[in-house]
Amino acid sequence: PDKAENGEPYQRRRGLGTSLPDSPPTFPALRDGAPTAGSSSWRRIMLMILAITIHNIPEGLAVGVGFGAIGKSASATFQSARNLAIGIGIQNFPEGLAVSLPLRGAGFSTWKSFWYGQLSGMVEPLAGVFGAFAVVLAEPLLPYALGFAAGAMVFVVMDDIIPEAQTSGNGKLASWTSILGFVVMMSLDVGLG
């Protein structure tokens, strides 16, 4: 594999003299500019939307359980539940962008892209209500649900986002913003307890 310096695209060679194209593939477009359902790019976009939507379910459960468990132990306080909700709420902004921006790039209108980004997160408050009412049932499942949510996001990042950033020439930017996101979330974890 050839890797150029200073954030230049990362290219993989499939055989002698053949390399990936320099520009991303174009979407086969319908009348409204949306990609066709059979295209590879459309499948990747749908996989990411599905992973983020599924990932939001255990996050909502975590917030609901946090609020539903207030007073059941010394560490189950309103402040800890509020801090958990704030932390998850902050990281929902880039998740919504991760849904909206690929749809916008695929030809959807700005409003439709924004709306689908919002819809991917709507499962979270619903799961939160369920989690608050089912604290006794959800509490033992919470570590597994959060592990599943983390695994879904790690899969999407490793399988789709990192390779895509490398091939489009944004590898260094993607790496630095990933580090920045990690520092922000760790600071929130330490600062908010």
Side-chain angles (χ1 to χ4, degrees), residues 24-184:
T26 58
F27 291 98
L30 297 174
R31 284 186 313 188
D32 65 352
T36 60
S39 73
S40 170
S41 297
W42 180 246
R43 283 194 297 268
R44 283 198 330 248
I45 291 171
M46 290 309 295
L47 173 66
M48 185 166 19
I49 292 171
L50 182 64
I52 289 174
T53 302
I54 291 172
H55 158 89
N56 283 331
I57 294 170
E59 285 182 352
L61 284 172
V63 172
V65 168
F67 281 101
I70 292 174
K72 297 197 184 309
S73 72
S75 63
T77 63
F78 175 78
Q79 289 77 18
S80 63
R82 181 202 60 206
N83 293 343
L84 176 63
I86 289 171
I88 288 177
I90 288 172
Q91 63 94 41
N92 279 341
F93 285 102
E95 285 179 2
L97 285 173
V99 170
S100 298
L101 292 178
L103 290 173
R104 181 67 183 119
F108 283 84
S109 71
T110 302
W111 175 249
K112 251 187 189 174
S113 301
F114 173 78
W115 181 245
Y116 286 131
Q118 295 301 306
L119 283 178
S120 72
M122 287 299 151
V123 296
E124 201 164 304
L126 297 174
V129 169
F130 176 77
F133 287 121
V135 171
V136 174
L137 183 64
E139 200 168 4
L141 298 176
L142 192 59
Y144 304 105
L146 290 175
F148 177 78
M153 288 310 296
V154 168
F155 172 78
V156 169
V157 168
M158 298 297 282
D159 187 58
D160 191 42
I161 295 174
I162 290 175
E164 186 71 27
Q166 294 294 331
T167 59
S168 65
N170 295 318
K172 292 220 185 276
L173 177 64
S175 297
W176 283 109
T177 54
S178 296
I179 291 169
L180 177 65
F182 180 77
V183 168
V184 168

